[in-house]
Amino acid sequence: MRHVAASSEYYRDSIGDLVARDARLEEFPVLTKRLLMQNFDRIVADARLSRKLVEDHLSGDDPGFPLLGEYRVAATGGTTGEKGLAVFDESAWLDAIANTLRFQKIVRIDETTKSMAIFASSAVHISHRIGAELRAFRPPAPKLNVLMPIEDIVETLNNHQPEVISTYPSFVRVLAKEQAAGRLRIRPRLVRTSAETLTADVREIATAAWEATIANSYTCTEVGAMGHECLLAAGLHLAEDAFLFEVVDGDNRRVPNGTAGAKLLVTTLTNRALPLVQYEISDIVTLATEPCACGLPFWRIASIDGRREEVLEFVGDRGEKVEVHAHRLRSPLTGAKGVRQFQFRQLADGLEITISVFPEFDGKAVASQVEMAVRSILETAGARPEHLTVRTVDMIGRSGSGAKEKLVVRREPGA
């Protein structure tokens, strides 16, 4: 913290006095993604770095090449849709890779494991960059990304027969349905997920498809690899020797273990180029109340129930506001036959659901089934939307450099 206050103009002004008097971390101001981007040039510890320089490099011909010969940079639109930038100096980047390797070791992945990853196609995104580092000393494997035609992905997986697959939870659904249809014929022992919320229904679908262990990981572009489940899959073990984690309520007060917070605050301990102090991640996190039976010393996140931005608002019977997290509406869509993708859009007077349907199913019949199921859940929650519509499209595009599948899209101005 003394380094941060001495080397960063922004932190010198915002926390210099707090560091000087050894104040408790709870007294330090929260850094949001918006504040990070607004003050980027003052936060970075190297005066040569700037937001424009980083963005120009990321939009150039080789964003994977170290900036200024020494900095790895990445960008994210994230689930919130608000852009963020990451800068890692050489030491911090090696720490990020080492953290990933350490986490993979606890699920029995090493340099001999026949593994394949299906994430972003762009070198702008951190999952692509870490994947490139790991491929350098792993058994050769074809490169795949979620934007490729599904037929090509299925053929490649069938030919390569990986024992471990790493991908987004939303793409696990796609692969599992290809397996159920008989087009995909693989038997992985482990499926690793990252970058999106892993829900119980996706775990069940993956278990039914492959009888494999499903292990979730926890990475933030601006921060790096933060946590990973062990083979017991009983929560995400956190890298407490690389970061400080605080689960807090809406007023940034710590909540007890076992209680869902409004957000997670993370302080980095290794990145001296872009230090993050009390950096806000809007995940709704609950910490475990007891140690994991696996014996690892790191505490765990027991559950992540999506992001604050994914909470939908409706009117109740008496005109009151009723909040329903979009994850409550996932199960009927995840389990519905024929649904390939889905997305929610909040309307001023209700909800619009967009779905894509597998070609062998009748789109109108699937849309009707989805509408009935979602209406039932909303009624149970006490929500009475004036309008609820289901729209069928050929494909829902993935968002940002990370090519993530966005669960909720923002309401258009005036909508």
Side-chain angles (χ1 to χ4, degrees):
M1 296 297 259
R2 285 192 292 272
H3 162 79
V4 169
S7 60
S8 164
E9 179 186 355
Y10 175 84
Y11 284 121
R12 184 164 54 250
D13 293 343
S14 62
I15 67 171
D17 292 342
L18 295 169
V19 172
R21 63 178 176 83
D22 289 329
R24 292 165 58 88
L25 191 60
E26 293 92 327
E27 298 180 46
F28 284 59
V30 169
L31 178 70
T32 63
K33 184 183 288 189
R34 181 165 296 177
L35 283 173
L36 169 63
M37 295 301 287
Q38 289 174 345
N39 297 278
F40 189 87
D41 294 4
R42 298 177 62 235
I43 291 175
V44 288
D46 187 335
R48 296 175 299 165
L49 293 170
S50 68
R51 176 174 173 174
K52 182 179 185 306
L53 181 68
V54 172
E55 290 179 333
D56 286 348
H57 184 76
L58 288 170
S59 62
D61 295 334
D62 191 2
F65 189 79
L67 173 62
L68 302 177
E70 58 183 295
Y71 294 110
R72 271 72 171 183
V73 297
T76 178
T79 308
T80 64
E82 190 164 4
K83 184 176 179 179
L85 295 176
V87 177
F88 296 86
D89 58 30
E90 184 175 4
S91 177
W93 184 244
L94 289 174
D95 281 337
I97 300 302
N99 243 342
T100 302
L101 291 172
R102 172 172 64 173
F103 287 140
Q104 291 189 2
K105 185 177 180 180
I106 72 173
V107 289
R108 300 203 306 268
I109 298 175
D110 59 24
E111 65 276 7
T112 67
T113 303
K114 197 174 182 182
S115 177
M116 293 184 71
I118 314 172
F119 285 110
S121 60
S122 170
V124 167
H125 197 261
I126 194 169
S127 66
H128 182 283
R129 302 287 298 285
I130 291 178
E133 298 277 7
L134 299 183
R135 280 196 301 274
F137 55 88
R138 293 272 170 82
K143 295 180 182 179
L144 297 176
N145 68 75
V146 293
L147 300 181
M148 294 172 62
I150 188 61
E151 297 80 8
D152 294 347
I153 294 174
V154 167
E155 181 181 4
T156 302
L157 291 173
N158 284 338
N159 290 336
H160 194 69
Q161 290 295 314
E163 60 178 296
V164 175
I165 291 177
S166 301
T167 191
Y168 301 130
S170 60
F171 206 71
V172 170
R173 295 198 314 267
V174 175
L175 295 179
K177 290 187 177 182
E178 290 294 319
Q179 184 88 13
R183 292 181 289 268
L184 183 62
R185 299 175 299 278
I186 57 175
R187 288 295 172 197
R189 68 165 176 84
L190 176 69
V191 177
R192 294 178 61 249
T193 60
S194 185
E196 300 170 353
T197 302
L198 174 62
T199 55
D201 45 18
V202 173
R203 285 189 192 271
E204 292 168 5
I205 287 173
T207 301
W210 300 297
E211 297 182 354
T213 299
I214 315 300
N216 195 21
S217 59
Y218 195 32
T219 298
C220 170
T221 297
E222 303 93 312
V223 175
M226 300 186 293
H228 204 292
E229 289 185 324
C230 65
L231 288 173
L232 296 180
L236 291 146
H237 290 275
L238 294 168
E240 294 178 292
D241 51 356
F243 312 99
L244 298 177
F245 299 97
E246 296 175 279
V247 178
V248 298
D249 61 18
D251 295 319
N252 300 319
R253 297 172 301 195
R254 287 188 184 180
V255 301
N257 290 358
T259 302
K263 48 191 165 180
L264 177 69
L265 303 182
V266 181
T267 298
T268 57
L269 301 179
T270 61
N271 192 346
R272 292 182 167 236
L274 181 64
L276 300 175
V277 179
Q278 297 285 74
Y279 186 61
E280 178 182 301
I281 298 174
S282 60
D283 288 331
I284 301 171
V285 166
T286 302
L287 289 179
T289 56
E290 53 189 42
C292 183
C294 76
L296 283 172
F298 301 118
W299 208 248
R300 291 165 298 135
I301 290 176
S303 65
I304 303 175
D305 299 317
R307 292 204 165 207
R308 292 198 314 276
E309 294 82 7
E310 295 169 340
V311 174
L312 304 167
E313 295 183 358
F314 302 98
V315 175
D317 290 327
R318 298 179 297 278
E320 76 280 15
K321 182 175 73 171
V322 176
E323 293 186 343
V324 180
H325 200 287
H327 284 281
R328 288 189 64 179
L329 308 179
R330 291 181 74 133
S331 293
L333 283 93
T334 302
K337 290 183 178 179
V339 175
R340 184 173 190 173
Q341 297 170 290
F342 54 84
Q343 191 174 72
F344 302 104
R345 182 187 295 274
Q346 176 85 71
L347 304 176
D349 57 355
L351 180 68
E352 179 185 80
I353 306 168
T354 302
I355 62 172
S356 69
V357 178
F358 284 100
E360 62 266 31
F361 288 85
D362 179 77
K364 289 184 178 179
V366 173
S368 177
Q369 177 188 358
V370 166
E371 181 179 347
M372 290 176 59
V374 171
R375 281 190 183 278
S376 176
I377 291 177
L378 290 176
E379 287 176 6
T380 301
R384 301 291 184 266
E386 184 176 340
H387 292 100
L388 195 158
T389 60
V390 181
R391 185 169 64 100
T392 303
V393 299
D394 292 335
M395 186 65 65
I396 298 173
R398 289 178 171 266
S399 301
S401 61
K404 299 178 185 178
E405 193 167 277
K406 215 166 188 181
L407 179 62
V408 176
V409 293
R410 293 182 177 181
R411 182 190 303 175
E412 299 294 335

